[in-house]
Amino acid sequence: MKVLLVDDDPDLLSVTGFALQQAGFLVVTATDGVSAIDVFEREQPDLAVLDINMPRMSGFDVARKLREMSSVPVIMLTVRGEEDDVVRALSLGADDYLTKPFSPKILIARIRAVLRRAGLEAEGTLTLGNLTLKVD
């Protein structure tokens, strides 16, 4: 499964990306909202993890744009934990919301849960471009 990970903090992006890769996900990244849309269109990920506070385009705006283009699951991963922010993100189409600081294990569990609810089981398949391998 391919995950788009978007955050303007390069250290967090690196550590979180590594944790996701160790869990078996293919990770593509972006450091701002505009780049996130470009990477999404080019890479066609199975799920997006978005920060809210980013340069050039907020995570709220990215989530709105992704919803216009796709039904791909979206998880917000942000320092913004106010009730209004959570409600706004979920209203824009986010499937889950996790605040920083966070446990990578919890993020991975939430990613798997969201993929499962979307009917996109991560277990037993490997996708690379147009090739999908299923392991029984």
Side-chain angles (χ1 to χ4, degrees), residues 63-101:
R64 182 182 302 110
K65 183 75 171 164
L66 292 183
R67 268 305 148 254
E68 291 171 4
M69 301 175 356
S70 171
S71 62
V72 67
V74 174
I75 297 175
M76 305 306 284
L77 178 62
T78 179
V79 297
R80 294 174 67 157
E82 297 296 318
E83 182 178 288
D84 289 343
D85 293 324
V86 176
V87 170
R88 181 176 177 195
L90 295 172
S91 296
L92 289 170
D95 298 280
D96 202 351
Y97 195 102
L98 184 61
T99 56
K100 300 174 188 176

Side-chain angles (χ1 to χ4, degrees), residues 7 9 14 17 21 26 34 46 48 54 59 61-62 64 74 92-93 101 103 105 116 134 136:
D7 201 297
D9 179 337
S14 177
Q21 288 172 341
L26 177 62
V34 173
D46 301 295
M54 294 186 295
D61 293 332
V62 174
R64 182 182 302 110
V74 174
L92 289 170
S103 160
K105 286 182 180 180
R116 188 173 48 252
K134 293 189 178 201
D136 294 323

Side-chain angles (χ1 to χ4, degrees), residues 6 13 17 22 30 41 46 51-52 57-58 61-62 79 86-87 92 98 117:
V6 186
L13 200 61
Q22 291 299 102
E41 290 175 334
D46 301 295
D51 187 16
I52 291 175
M57 181 186 283
S58 76
D61 293 332
V62 174
V79 297
V86 176
V87 170
L92 289 170
L98 184 61
R117 285 191 304 269

Side-chain angles (χ1 to χ4, degrees), residues 33-47:
V34 173
S35 297
I37 299 299
D38 292 340
V39 172
F40 181 85
E41 290 175 334
R42 183 175 62 250
E43 296 289 337
Q44 297 296 301
D46 301 295
L47 179 135

